[in-house]
Amino acid sequence: MMVNIKVNGKEYKKDVEPRTLLATFIRDDLEMTGTHIGCDTTNCGACTVLMDGKAVKSCTVLAVQADGHEVETIENESDKELSIVKDSFVEENGLQCGFCTPGMIMTSLYMLRKNKNPSDDYIKSNLAGNLCRCTGYVSIINSIKKASEKINGEKVVAK
Amino acid sequence: MFPDKFEYYAPKSIEEAAKFLNGHEDAKILAGGQSLIPLLKLRFTSVPEIVDIGRIRGLDEIKLRGNTLEIGAMARTGEIADNVSIRGKFPVLSEAAGHIADPLIRNMGTIGGDLCHGDPANDFPAVMLALDAEFEISSADRKRTVKAEDFFLDTFATALEPGEILTKIKIQDTGSSGRYMKYKKYAGDFSILGIAVNLLLDGKEVKKCGIGLTNCGATALKAKEAEKFLEGKEISDENIAKAAELLLKVADFMDDDNGSVKFKEKLLKYLFVKAVKGIGGVHK
Ligand SMILES: Cc1cc2nc3c(=O)[nH]c(=O)nc-3n(C[C@H](O)[C@H](O)[C@H](O)COP(=O)(O)OP(=O)(O)OC[C@H]3O[C@@H](n4cnc5c(N)ncnc54)[C@H](O)[C@@H]3O)c2cc1C
Ligand code: FES
Ligand code: FES
């Protein structure tokens, strides 16, 4: 079946089997391997991407469901806020092995777009679908807070 | 992991979907896919055809029409959790929505899927029972309305017949208020137990009471005896405690990984008292 999916601003027209998952479409068909597959059972959130701006688990979305929709992945070079979140994770050691990180960062971007001044509780409840086996989450929360400060700072400078 | 092969069909209207289902007995409806896709991937099930109802326009609408809240079957759980008028008028529904799975699953999962899946651990069914919701159902040859209390039959079994699509959920605004209490092991998990309590109060008197139980038996349960007992009575510690005992008559617990029967009975009573006392207008 032909699908037309916009990924990181670029349209991709591909012929896929209906059973193809969005995660495998991104990784195998588009060769963008930044999106990770961890549990493959809808639990860990390593596969998180944004679809029409909303964070979803791409291992549990069919590529055909995304037909005609817009997807953002960790590779989205053109998004300034995403770059800020990435940098903040590096600066605050928001990762150890890094396997969960693409998903963590996409969920962080999603929550920061909704709320520029997130409280600890807001961050924690929004991370409920993303598991990290390494960091213990404290450094992840710090990374998100740092990103929010920077994003708010940028806005002030931009004015 | 991949599902087994299937044909994919994405109708643009309910009529088209119903017509297709009529000719394809084994086809399965796909809503948000958050229950169905994991089952297909793990090969617990496989289906010849998938009918994706996600492209039917308007099926995800949430509207307050007079005193009736109408929720389209494709409304996402996250939208329901965030909807301001639902939060104001049906707090028990908002609260339950916010407790379902995690934000990412809530962005895909729908209320229709949560109700039709028939898992006793799904949270929306108990809320529908507490709010006395009605379900609009369509198929190729008829439309019908089923009350929530007649919908949930057994584990993975609902009143839906082959070829039928749940299209809309209707709930009356009576000026009542409620809470949903859920006990789970970790963030994003299913309920070990959940309880929806909805009360219409006149001062201290309970005019109407709705109670639905999650994961307390083979399917979601309506605690009718406790509801009847509280109606017409004053909200008092004594009456709340008596109603809590009556919940145990409908609950059908088993010892399992989530805990012993004794533990679950205590937990259910505890969550009930907490729910009632947390409802606006109920004095602690
Ligand atoms: C890790 C995890 C945790 C979860 N935790 C919870 C939780 O805490 N609480 C909870 O309630 N749920 C939980 N869920 C389930 C989740 O909320 C699902 O989204 C929901 O149960 C199904 O909704 P869906 O739209 O994704 O349905 P789908 O998966 O698309 O469909 C589910 C079933 O319903 C049928 N169906 C769907 N829509 C219709 C319709 N309109 N008419 C007729 N049949 C229809 C489908 O054919 C299928 O059999 C969890 C899921 C996962 C993976
Ligand atoms: S790989 Fe998708 S949730 Fe774990
Ligand atoms: S950094 Fe290793 S899983 Fe999160």
Side-chain angles (χ1 to χ4, degrees), chain A residues 69-156:
Chain A
H69 293 273
E70 209 170 325
V71 173
E72 294 165 72
T73 74
I74 190 77
E75 283 96 349
N76 195 2
E77 296 280 318
S78 63
D79 190 295
K80 215 168 166 200
E81 289 187 350
L82 178 58
S83 304
I84 292 176
V85 181
K86 285 182 191 171
D87 290 345
S88 303
F89 268 71
V90 173
E91 288 156 22
E92 290 295 318
N93 297 313
L95 61 146
Q96 283 181 31
C97 79
F99 201 85
C100 69
T101 313
M104 285 290 173
I105 289 179
M106 294 316 284
T107 300
S108 303
L109 179 65
Y110 169 66
M111 73 169 94
L112 286 169
R113 281 185 188 168
K114 287 198 297 179
N115 183 345
K116 301 276 181 237
N117 290 299
S119 65
D120 280 24
D121 281 348
Y122 174 85
I123 294 174
K124 285 180 194 169
S125 62
N126 274 279
L127 283 182
N130 293 80
L131 303 183
C132 176
R133 305 299 302 266
C134 303
T135 61
Y137 301 99
V138 175
S139 59
I140 291 174
I141 294 169
N142 291 341
S143 307
I144 296 169
K145 290 198 131 171
K146 178 137 197 194
S148 85
E149 282 164 21
K150 285 200 204 176
I151 290 167
N152 288 331
E154 292 257 326
K155 284 272 147 66
V156 175

Side-chain angles (χ1 to χ4, degrees), chain B residues 165-209:
Chain B
I165 309 165
L166 171 67
T167 56
K168 199 185 275 179
I169 294 104
K170 284 176 148 183
I171 305 169
Q172 297 305 319
D173 175 19
T174 58
S176 62
S177 189
R179 294 294 304 264
Y180 188 75
M181 292 289 155
K182 166 165 173 168
Y183 187 76
K184 57 189 168 189
K185 276 189 210 156
Y186 48 83
D189 198 19
F190 282 99
S191 289
I192 288 178
L193 285 187
I195 182 164
V197 182
N198 198 60
L199 298 177
L200 177 63
L201 293 168
D202 181 5
K204 290 214 106 188
E205 193 193 322
V206 178
K207 285 280 174 201
K208 193 139 189 357
C209 172

Side-chain angles (χ1 to χ4, degrees), chain A residues 1 17-21 24 39-42 45 48 51 54-57 59-62 64-67 69 107 110 114 125-130, chain B residues 1-8 30-35 37-38 41-43 50 52 55 76 79 82 101-108 186-188:
Chain A
M1 201 188 136
E17 268 193 82
R19 61 175 172 163
T20 308
L21 298 156
T24 33
C39 66
D40 215 355
T41 53
T42 331
T48 305
M51 187 157 105
K54 287 187 171 175
V56 299
K57 293 176 172 175
C59 75
T60 315
V61 176
L62 299 172
V64 288
Q65 281 178 292
D67 183 22
H69 293 273
T107 300
Y110 169 66
K114 287 198 297 179
S125 62
N126 274 279
L127 283 182
N130 293 80
Chain B
M1 288 188 298
F2 294 98
D4 207 345
K5 286 192 179 183
F6 54 77
E7 297 284 323
Y8 175 82
L30 173 75
Q34 302 302 288
S35 291
I37 294 175
K41 284 174 69 180
L42 292 164
R43 307 281 174 119
I50 289 274
D52 182 354
R55 293 185 191 271
R76 311 279 174 180
E79 297 287 332
D82 292 344
D102 60 56
L104 318 177
I105 292 176
R106 293 200 287 272
N107 279 341
M108 283 303 290
Y186 48 83

